[in-house]
Amino acid sequence: MLKWWKISGIILVLYALVGGLLLPVPQLPILMQSIRNLYYHVPMWFGMQTLLIASAIYAAKGLIYKDLLHDIRSEAYAKIALLFGTMGLVTGMIWAKNTWGAYWTNDPKLNSAAIGMLMYAAYFVLRGSIDDAEKKARISAVYNLFALPVFIVLIFVLPRLTASLHPGNGGNPGFNSYDLDSRLRLVFYPAVLGWIFIGFWIAELQIRINKLTFLKENED
Amino acid sequence: MTHFIINQIQSSTLADAGSTDKFHVVIAVIAMLFLGIVAYLISLDLKIRKQEKK
């Protein structure tokens, strides 16, 4: 039997996918119907950030308790976070092409997101370069704990200090001022919650597979 | 003239109905794709559970 949050994830994402295309949206200049991408693009970043926080928590736990199972969890959360980040970038690029006229602009948020993603890609390169499991867990946990605050600064702080095309950045109005009649919220919040649940579900499956592999390797 | 206008209205209504049908097909395909991913996740969940019980 599936746990409640997995069932909730399925229902919420299905509702967001269908409702996101069918329910009315405010007609805003330039954005027009592309505002519906808010339901698909932004939840990916929320999912990524939540998973990265979970990854950092387990990295810290791994350092404190010196348990390799925490490292397995930390790695899996980071891996699925990177998957969500990639989906966020792809949906963002499609949106950018239709509203800003190019797949990639010199926007500080875009560049920061790319740097942040590369930083986490380097985390996996680092892990792959160390053979000893305990050493790998320790070093990558320290890297992970340093990477998270840098990622938060790159995504949330830096783009707000300079001119940006993104809403809520560089003096632009944020999501709240767009959403005057709350029609977007009806789909946006369920989409965020649903994708977070789905992200944790995929990560949980990855963790369980890695645990089984780890236990089998240690049996031999 | 009246005949022309009626024809125009009819053709635009038909075109709208056609595009609405296509739109619903797109939504149905997206929903089916997601449900396919969910089915895969559930089957993976069950397979892992079996392995864990062993």
Side-chain angles (χ1 to χ4, degrees), chain A residues 50-73:
Chain A
T50 317
L51 287 161
L52 286 180
I53 291 167
S55 176
I57 289 170
Y58 279 106
K61 277 180 128 181
L63 282 176
I64 295 165
Y65 301 111
K66 297 187 175 31
D67 186 349
L68 285 178
L69 290 177
H70 290 314
D71 178 58
I72 288 174
R73 288 193 188 97

Side-chain angles (χ1 to χ4, degrees), chain A residues 1-2 6 10 13-14 17-18 21-22 198 201-202 205 208-209 212, chain B residues 23-24 26-27 30-31 34-35 38 41-42 44-45 48-49 51-52:
Chain A
M1 186 64 194
L2 288 177
K6 291 176 187 173
I10 298 167
V13 171
L14 196 61
L17 286 173
V18 177
L21 290 171
L22 287 177
I198 295 288
W201 186 8
I202 300 170
L205 293 175
R208 285 161 67 192
I209 292 169
L212 285 170
Chain B
F23 190 59
H24 286 145
V26 170
I27 294 167
I30 290 169
F34 176 68
L35 288 175
V38 166
L41 289 178
I42 291 170
L44 207 59
D45 208 317
I48 296 168
R49 199 170 297 169
Q51 287 292 318
E52 283 169 341

